[in-house]
Amino acid sequence: NRELFLEHKKSGVPLTKYLVRLLRVNQYCGLIGSLGLSILANFQNANVNIVHFTGATLYFVASECMLVSDLVLSRAFNNHNTLPFKLKTATAVIAVLFGVGFGVFETCKKTLSVSSPYYNLCFESAAACEWLVVIVVISFSTSMLPTFGNIKLKFEVEDKPDEYDDEMLLAN
């Protein structure tokens, strides 16, 4: 959202209620996607299948919504003719295709018996799509690095001893 806000300030486009709501949707989708990825990573498919599948679904749906809302916001801020926007669009389309592929192969896997010769193909294809979506979404997120690279954070730490510290030193 920081990148989108910086893009907005540069564009001069008035910040409407629609854009503010879309920024909120983008933020919440990113948070939900992060939660889903955490669930997905912490529960192995073989041990807790329903929790793993729930985490995967949360991650995929929220991440896809975040990608699309990010593209809509970037387009609203008049950045649609730039190379980074075109790369983001291509990345988002690829992520959606892998997400749909995951759903198709996961459904195919559930309809086949384990002894079917196509079961392993569906299983491996679903796993490949699952990993590729994660990699593509992460690469989409790294497209924001140039904006964040221009931001410098400065932390000042000042150590002020208080009475409690003095009492602890005297006691030892």
Side-chain angles (χ1 to χ4, degrees):
N1 283 341
R2 175 75 178 153
E3 178 192 13
L4 295 172
F5 182 72
L6 292 173
E7 285 180 13
H8 170 263
K9 286 182 80 171
K10 290 178 193 172
S11 71
V13 174
L15 196 58
T16 63
K17 284 184 179 182
Y18 168 74
L19 292 177
V20 170
R21 287 182 185 145
L22 201 52
L23 278 166
R24 290 275 183 243
V25 165
N26 187 284
Q27 180 181 12
Y28 292 133
C29 286
L31 290 171
I32 293 168
S34 297
L35 173 68
L37 187 59
S38 177
I39 293 170
L40 178 67
N42 286 304
F43 294 94
Q44 295 179 4
N45 194 14
N47 297 340
V48 191
N49 193 18
I50 189 70
V51 178
H52 181 85
F53 186 75
T54 302
T57 303
L58 273 175
Y59 176 73
F60 294 145
V61 172
S63 295
E64 303 295 338
C65 291
M66 184 191 71
L67 297 181
V68 171
S69 65
D70 187 274
L71 289 173
V72 171
L73 286 165
S74 292
R75 183 164 175 79
F77 300 148
N78 296 322
N79 291 333
H80 56 279
N81 289 327
T82 63
L83 180 62
F85 178 77
K86 291 175 183 176
L87 290 173
K88 283 183 180 183
T89 304
T91 307
V93 168
I94 291 168
V96 168
L97 290 175
F98 283 132
V100 169
F102 170 76
V104 167
F105 289 121
E106 195 63 34
T107 304
C108 170
K109 185 179 83 173
K110 291 184 187 311
T111 60
L112 296 172
S113 68
V114 179
S115 60
S116 172
Y118 297 108
Y119 180 83
N120 283 338
L121 176 66
C122 289
F123 180 81
E124 291 168 1
S125 299
C129 286
E130 182 178 30
W131 276 100
L132 289 169
V133 167
V134 171
I135 291 167
V136 170
V137 169
I138 289 171
S139 68
F140 183 93
S141 299
T142 59
S143 69
M144 299 176 190
L145 284 178
T147 302
F148 287 111
N150 296 331
I151 298 172
K152 293 185 178 164
L153 299 176
K154 182 179 178 183
F155 294 100
E156 291 184 23
V157 178
E158 187 175 323
D159 186 27
K160 292 184 180 180
D162 57 8
E163 293 175 18
Y164 180 76
D165 290 338
D166 292 340
E167 291 173 11
M168 292 298 293
L169 287 173
L170 292 174
N172 290 329

